[in-house]
Amino acid sequence: MKLLQHGVLVLGALMALPSSADQVKTDDLIVQGNLCVGQDCLNGEDFSLGALKLKENNTRIRWHDTSATSGALVRQVLENSYLENTVGQSWGMDANQSSNGGLNGFYIIQKSLVSSFVLSDGTAPDYDCVGTSGNPRPVVGTIQEGQPVESEFNCLGIEQFLQLDTLVLGGSAGSGAAVGIGAELADGEVSLGSASLRRRLVHVASALGDSDVLIKSQLDAGLFQDRQERLDGIESLMDMAEQEIATLEEAVKPTVKPKGGGSGATG
């Protein structure tokens, strides 16, 4: 009897523990109030700035399109290493970089569905994983190209998702914007690429304001007008010079007298 009572108590205690299992709802879910998602959400959350709030140290939204197919293998170059993975099925929106001391900004990214090992490009440091343990461990060489890089603290391989930034908006008032994969973000600039990656800005209307950007048709028209004015001026000077030359030629032209002494008629 005591064993049965003990079993009932244990079962009741287990049922009282919070469940960590996923909850699957196979019907529509309607929330008529506001919603806060994240580990930092509190009772009495302020929703005056919106009905949906993501609140924690790293806020992320991710889309996974199960109908899309992944594209070709993409290589992302990192410091002393690289990642190879496919994108095209997953997109994300990140608010600020997750790494300690990372940049504040808003990111729209293409993201691989699964993580993969970060691989050495032949220059990644090889740490002493056998001898004395350090923090970080001492470097004893370099890792062969194509082999996983090591963590400097525990020598384990590093895995991460491949991420390609497609739009980056800086987080401060003087920050810039980077549009397109590979575009470099810089304060006070709107970047479409980098020193090695150039893009064209197309379908732009003609400039009206003093600070508007001139488009090619306006630039061509301005250059042609200036060039035409110069040509017209040169042509006018040439006409004047030809007239002066003609006047001088007329002034120095010799007078031709008729020949005299004709014979008279004979009878």
Side-chain angles (χ1 to χ4, degrees), residues 19 41 53 79-80 100 127 143 161 173 194 201 230 241 263:
S19 174
C41 292
K53 180 186 290 186
E79 184 178 2
N80 303 119
N100 187 20
Y127 298 101
I143 299 175
F161 290 89
S194 64
L201 187 63
R230 292 184 180 183
S263 59

mmCIF file with all atom_site columns, all heavy atoms in Angstrom, residues 19 41 53 79-80 100 127 143 161 173 194 201 230 241 263:
data_model
loop_
_atom_site.group_PDB
_atom_site.id
_atom_site.type_symbol
_atom_site.label_atom_id
_atom_site.label_alt_id
_atom_site.label_comp_id
_atom_site.label_asym_id
_atom_site.label_entity_id
_atom_site.label_seq_id
_atom_site.pdbx_PDB_ins_code
_atom_site.Cartn_x
_atom_site.Cartn_y
_atom_site.Cartn_z
_atom_site.occupancy
_atom_site.B_iso_or_equiv
_atom_site.pdbx_formal_charge
_atom_site.auth_seq_id
_atom_site.auth_comp_id
_atom_site.auth_asym_id
_atom_site.auth_atom_id
_atom_site.pdbx_PDB_model_num
ATOM 1   N N   . SER A 1 19  ? 5.791  21.290 -18.791  1.00 0.00 ? 19  SER A N   1
ATOM 2   C CA  . SER A 1 19  ? 6.052  20.437 -19.939  1.00 0.00 ? 19  SER A CA  1
ATOM 3   C C   . SER A 1 19  ? 6.915  21.185 -20.950  1.00 0.00 ? 19  SER A C   1
ATOM 4   O O   . SER A 1 19  ? 6.702  22.368 -21.210  1.00 0.00 ? 19  SER A O   1
ATOM 5   C CB  . SER A 1 19  ? 4.737  20.005 -20.592  1.00 0.00 ? 19  SER A CB  1
ATOM 6   O OG  . SER A 1 19  ? 4.982  19.286 -21.777  1.00 0.00 ? 19  SER A OG  1
ATOM 7   N N   . CYS A 1 41  ? 9.744  38.513 -22.174  1.00 0.00 ? 41  CYS A N   1
ATOM 8   C CA  . CYS A 1 41  ? 8.369  38.993 -22.036  1.00 0.00 ? 41  CYS A CA  1
ATOM 9   C C   . CYS A 1 41  ? 7.918  38.851 -20.581  1.00 0.00 ? 41  CYS A C   1
ATOM 10  O O   . CYS A 1 41  ? 8.186  37.836 -19.927  1.00 0.00 ? 41  CYS A O   1
ATOM 11  C CB  . CYS A 1 41  ? 7.429  38.208 -22.951  1.00 0.00 ? 41  CYS A CB  1
ATOM 12  S SG  . CYS A 1 41  ? 7.705  38.501 -24.716  1.00 0.00 ? 41  CYS A SG  1
ATOM 13  N N   . LYS A 1 53  ? 5.069  41.661 -30.406  1.00 0.00 ? 53  LYS A N   1
ATOM 14  C CA  . LYS A 1 53  ? 6.380  42.083 -29.910  1.00 0.00 ? 53  LYS A CA  1
ATOM 15  C C   . LYS A 1 53  ? 7.289  40.861 -29.773  1.00 0.00 ? 53  LYS A C   1
ATOM 16  O O   . LYS A 1 53  ? 6.889  39.834 -29.217  1.00 0.00 ? 53  LYS A O   1
ATOM 17  C CB  . LYS A 1 53  ? 6.227  42.772 -28.561  1.00 0.00 ? 53  LYS A CB  1
ATOM 18  C CG  . LYS A 1 53  ? 7.539  43.244 -27.949  1.00 0.00 ? 53  LYS A CG  1
ATOM 19  C CD  . LYS A 1 53  ? 7.344  43.788 -26.537  1.00 0.00 ? 53  LYS A CD  1
ATOM 20  C CE  . LYS A 1 53  ? 6.599  45.092 -26.545  1.00 0.00 ? 53  LYS A CE  1
ATOM 21  N NZ  . LYS A 1 53  ? 6.545  45.699 -25.179  1.00 0.00 ? 53  LYS A NZ  1
ATOM 22  N N   . GLU A 1 79  ? 36.947 34.865 -42.264  1.00 0.00 ? 79  GLU A N   1
ATOM 23  C CA  . GLU A 1 79  ? 38.340 35.096 -41.898  1.00 0.00 ? 79  GLU A CA  1
ATOM 24  C C   . GLU A 1 79  ? 39.066 33.763 -41.736  1.00 0.00 ? 79  GLU A C   1
ATOM 25  O O   . GLU A 1 79  ? 38.688 32.947 -40.895  1.00 0.00 ? 79  GLU A O   1
ATOM 26  C CB  . GLU A 1 79  ? 38.415 35.896 -40.604  1.00 0.00 ? 79  GLU A CB  1
ATOM 27  C CG  . GLU A 1 79  ? 39.832 36.262 -40.202  1.00 0.00 ? 79  GLU A CG  1
ATOM 28  C CD  . GLU A 1 79  ? 39.876 37.086 -38.940  1.00 0.00 ? 79  GLU A CD  1
ATOM 29  O OE1 . GLU A 1 79  ? 38.801 37.335 -38.360  1.00 0.00 ? 79  GLU A OE1 1
ATOM 30  O OE2 . GLU A 1 79  ? 40.982 37.483 -38.539  1.00 0.00 ? 79  GLU A OE2 1
ATOM 31  N N   . ASN A 1 80  ? 40.074 33.514 -42.540  1.00 0.00 ? 80  ASN A N   1
ATOM 32  C CA  . ASN A 1 80  ? 40.874 32.283 -42.524  1.00 0.00 ? 80  ASN A CA  1
ATOM 33  C C   . ASN A 1 80  ? 40.052 31.032 -42.822  1.00 0.00 ? 80  ASN A C   1
ATOM 34  O O   . ASN A 1 80  ? 40.520 29.918 -42.604  1.00 0.00 ? 80  ASN A O   1
ATOM 35  C CB  . ASN A 1 80  ? 41.577 32.083 -41.163  1.00 0.00 ? 80  ASN A CB  1
ATOM 36  C CG  . ASN A 1 80  ? 42.451 33.245 -40.780  1.00 0.00 ? 80  ASN A CG  1
ATOM 37  O OD1 . ASN A 1 80  ? 42.224 33.885 -39.760  1.00 0.00 ? 80  ASN A OD1 1
ATOM 38  N ND2 . ASN A 1 80  ? 43.446 33.550 -41.599  1.00 0.00 ? 80  ASN A ND2 1
ATOM 39  N N   . ASN A 1 100 ? 28.899 39.034 -29.500  1.00 0.00 ? 100 ASN A N   1
ATOM 40  C CA  . ASN A 1 100 ? 29.198 40.050 -28.502  1.00 0.00 ? 100 ASN A CA  1
ATOM 41  C C   . ASN A 1 100 ? 29.952 41.205 -29.158  1.00 0.00 ? 100 ASN A C   1
ATOM 42  O O   . ASN A 1 100 ? 30.983 41.012 -29.782  1.00 0.00 ? 100 ASN A O   1
ATOM 43  C CB  . ASN A 1 100 ? 30.033 39.441 -27.381  1.00 0.00 ? 100 ASN A CB  1
ATOM 44  C CG  . ASN A 1 100 ? 30.232 40.415 -26.234  1.00 0.00 ? 100 ASN A CG  1
ATOM 45  O OD1 . ASN A 1 100 ? 29.484 41.355 -26.091  1.00 0.00 ? 100 ASN A OD1 1
ATOM 46  N ND2 . ASN A 1 100 ? 31.241 40.178 -25.428  1.00 0.00 ? 100 ASN A ND2 1
ATOM 47  N N   . TYR A 1 127 ? 45.105 24.581 -33.152  1.00 0.00 ? 127 TYR A N   1
ATOM 48  C CA  . TYR A 1 127 ? 45.382 24.753 -31.732  1.00 0.00 ? 127 TYR A CA  1
ATOM 49  C C   . TYR A 1 127 ? 45.908 23.458 -31.112  1.00 0.00 ? 127 TYR A C   1
ATOM 50  O O   . TYR A 1 127 ? 45.661 22.356 -31.607  1.00 0.00 ? 127 TYR A O   1
ATOM 51  C CB  . TYR A 1 127 ? 44.115 25.213 -31.007  1.00 0.00 ? 127 TYR A CB  1
ATOM 52  C CG  . TYR A 1 127 ? 43.609 26.551 -31.487  1.00 0.00 ? 127 TYR A CG  1
ATOM 53  C CD1 . TYR A 1 127 ? 42.533 26.626 -32.370  1.00 0.00 ? 127 TYR A CD1 1
ATOM 54  C CD2 . TYR A 1 127 ? 44.206 27.740 -31.077  1.00 0.00 ? 127 TYR A CD2 1
ATOM 55  C CE1 . TYR A 1 127 ? 42.067 27.853 -32.823  1.00 0.00 ? 127 TYR A CE1 1
ATOM 56  C CE2 . TYR A 1 127 ? 43.747 28.966 -31.520  1.00 0.00 ? 127 TYR A CE2 1
ATOM 57  C CZ  . TYR A 1 127 ? 42.679 29.019 -32.398  1.00 0.00 ? 127 TYR A CZ  1
ATOM 58  O OH  . TYR A 1 127 ? 42.217 30.231 -32.854  1.00 0.00 ? 127 TYR A OH  1
ATOM 59  N N   . ILE A 1 143 ? 45.605 24.664 -40.193  1.00 0.00 ? 143 ILE A N   1
ATOM 60  C CA  . ILE A 1 143 ? 44.765 23.547 -40.594  1.00 0.00 ? 143 ILE A CA  1
ATOM 61  C C   . ILE A 1 143 ? 44.725 23.460 -42.114  1.00 0.00 ? 143 ILE A C   1
ATOM 62  O O   . ILE A 1 143 ? 44.615 24.476 -42.804  1.00 0.00 ? 143 ILE A O   1
ATOM 63  C CB  . ILE A 1 143 ? 43.340 23.703 -40.031  1.00 0.00 ? 143 ILE A CB  1
ATOM 64  C CG1 . ILE A 1 143 ? 43.385 23.723 -38.504  1.00 0.00 ? 143 ILE A CG1 1
ATOM 65  C CG2 . ILE A 1 143 ? 42.420 22.591 -40.518  1.00 0.00 ? 143 ILE A CG2 1
ATOM 66  C CD1 . ILE A 1 143 ? 42.050 23.984 -37.850  1.00 0.00 ? 143 ILE A CD1 1
ATOM 67  N N   . PHE A 1 161 ? 25.273 28.468 -39.653  1.00 0.00 ? 161 PHE A N   1
ATOM 68  C CA  . PHE A 1 161 ? 24.460 28.605 -40.847  1.00 0.00 ? 161 PHE A CA  1
ATOM 69  C C   . PHE A 1 161 ? 25.136 29.567 -41.813  1.00 0.00 ? 161 PHE A C   1
ATOM 70  O O   . PHE A 1 161 ? 25.787 30.523 -41.400  1.00 0.00 ? 161 PHE A O   1
ATOM 71  C CB  . PHE A 1 161 ? 23.064 29.133 -40.494  1.00 0.00 ? 161 PHE A CB  1
ATOM 72  C CG  . PHE A 1 161 ? 22.204 28.149 -39.760  1.00 0.00 ? 161 PHE A CG  1
ATOM 73  C CD1 . PHE A 1 161 ? 22.237 28.077 -38.374  1.00 0.00 ? 161 PHE A CD1 1
ATOM 74  C CD2 . PHE A 1 161 ? 21.377 27.286 -40.449  1.00 0.00 ? 161 PHE A CD2 1
ATOM 75  C CE1 . PHE A 1 161 ? 21.452 27.174 -37.691  1.00 0.00 ? 161 PHE A CE1 1
ATOM 76  C CE2 . PHE A 1 161 ? 20.589 26.374 -39.777  1.00 0.00 ? 161 PHE A CE2 1
ATOM 77  C CZ  . PHE A 1 161 ? 20.626 26.313 -38.386  1.00 0.00 ? 161 PHE A CZ  1
ATOM 78  N N   . ALA A 1 173 ? 21.569 57.146 -36.240  1.00 0.00 ? 173 ALA A N   1
ATOM 79  C CA  . ALA A 1 173 ? 21.038 58.209 -37.104  1.00 0.00 ? 173 ALA A CA  1
ATOM 80  C C   . ALA A 1 173 ? 21.934 58.473 -38.303  1.00 0.00 ? 173 ALA A C   1
ATOM 81  O O   . ALA A 1 173 ? 21.451 58.808 -39.377  1.00 0.00 ? 173 ALA A O   1
ATOM 82  C CB  . ALA A 1 173 ? 20.856 59.488 -36.296  1.00 0.00 ? 173 ALA A CB  1
ATOM 83  N N   . SER A 1 194 ? 30.509 47.020 -53.748  1.00 0.00 ? 194 SER A N   1
ATOM 84  C CA  . SER A 1 194 ? 31.789 47.271 -53.097  1.00 0.00 ? 194 SER A CA  1
ATOM 85  C C   . SER A 1 194 ? 32.806 47.660 -54.160  1.00 0.00 ? 194 SER A C   1
ATOM 86  O O   . SER A 1 194 ? 32.457 47.825 -55.339  1.00 0.00 ? 194 SER A O   1
ATOM 87  C CB  . SER A 1 194 ? 32.246 46.018 -52.337  1.00 0.00 ? 194 SER A CB  1
ATOM 88  O OG  . SER A 1 194 ? 32.486 44.955 -53.252  1.00 0.00 ? 194 SER A OG  1
ATOM 89  N N   . LEU A 1 201 ? 22.131 51.532 -60.838  1.00 0.00 ? 201 LEU A N   1
ATOM 90  C CA  . LEU A 1 201 ? 20.851 52.010 -60.328  1.00 0.00 ? 201 LEU A CA  1
ATOM 91  C C   . LEU A 1 201 ? 20.022 52.422 -61.538  1.00 0.00 ? 201 LEU A C   1
ATOM 92  O O   . LEU A 1 201 ? 20.358 53.384 -62.232  1.00 0.00 ? 201 LEU A O   1
ATOM 93  C CB  . LEU A 1 201 ? 21.071 53.195 -59.382  1.00 0.00 ? 201 LEU A CB  1
ATOM 94  C CG  . LEU A 1 201 ? 19.846 53.706 -58.629  1.00 0.00 ? 201 LEU A CG  1
ATOM 95  C CD1 . LEU A 1 201 ? 19.299 52.628 -57.711  1.00 0.00 ? 201 LEU A CD1 1
ATOM 96  C CD2 . LEU A 1 201 ? 20.211 54.951 -57.828  1.00 0.00 ? 201 LEU A CD2 1
ATOM 97  N N   . ARG A 1 230 ? 30.192 75.432 -78.064  1.00 0.00 ? 230 ARG A N   1
ATOM 98  C CA  . ARG A 1 230 ? 31.591 75.668 -78.435  1.00 0.00 ? 230 ARG A CA  1
ATOM 99  C C   . ARG A 1 230 ? 31.798 75.541 -79.940  1.00 0.00 ? 230 ARG A C   1
ATOM 100 O O   . ARG A 1 230 ? 32.509 76.342 -80.553  1.00 0.00 ? 230 ARG A O   1
ATOM 101 C CB  . ARG A 1 230 ? 32.489 74.675 -77.700  1.00 0.00 ? 230 ARG A CB  1
ATOM 102 C CG  . ARG A 1 230 ? 32.548 74.900 -76.200  1.00 0.00 ? 230 ARG A CG  1
ATOM 103 C CD  . ARG A 1 230 ? 33.533 73.940 -75.551  1.00 0.00 ? 230 ARG A CD  1
ATOM 104 N NE  . ARG A 1 230 ? 33.591 74.139 -74.113  1.00 0.00 ? 230 ARG A NE  1
ATOM 105 C CZ  . ARG A 1 230 ? 34.403 73.470 -73.311  1.00 0.00 ? 230 ARG A CZ  1
ATOM 106 N NH1 . ARG A 1 230 ? 35.237 72.558 -73.819  1.00 0.00 ? 230 ARG A NH1 1
ATOM 107 N NH2 . ARG A 1 230 ? 34.401 73.692 -72.005  1.00 0.00 ? 230 ARG A NH2 1
ATOM 108 N N   . ALA A 1 241 ? 36.720 85.095 -89.923  1.00 0.00 ? 241 ALA A N   1
ATOM 109 C CA  . ALA A 1 241 ? 38.080 85.075 -90.473  1.00 0.00 ? 241 ALA A CA  1
ATOM 110 C C   . ALA A 1 241 ? 38.049 84.968 -91.982  1.00 0.00 ? 241 ALA A C   1
ATOM 111 O O   . ALA A 1 241 ? 38.846 85.632 -92.686  1.00 0.00 ? 241 ALA A O   1
ATOM 112 C CB  . ALA A 1 241 ? 38.849 83.891 -89.864  1.00 0.00 ? 241 ALA A CB  1
ATOM 113 N N   . SER A 1 263 ? 45.563 98.441 -134.970 1.00 0.00 ? 263 SER A N   1
ATOM 114 C CA  . SER A 1 263 ? 45.758 98.941 -136.358 1.00 0.00 ? 263 SER A CA  1
ATOM 115 C C   . SER A 1 263 ? 44.451 99.367 -136.957 1.00 0.00 ? 263 SER A C   1
ATOM 116 O O   . SER A 1 263 ? 43.422 98.769 -136.710 1.00 0.00 ? 263 SER A O   1
ATOM 117 C CB  . SER A 1 263 ? 46.401 97.832 -137.237 1.00 0.00 ? 263 SER A CB  1
ATOM 118 O OG  . SER A 1 263 ? 45.553 96.685 -137.232 1.00 0.00 ? 263 SER A OG  1
#
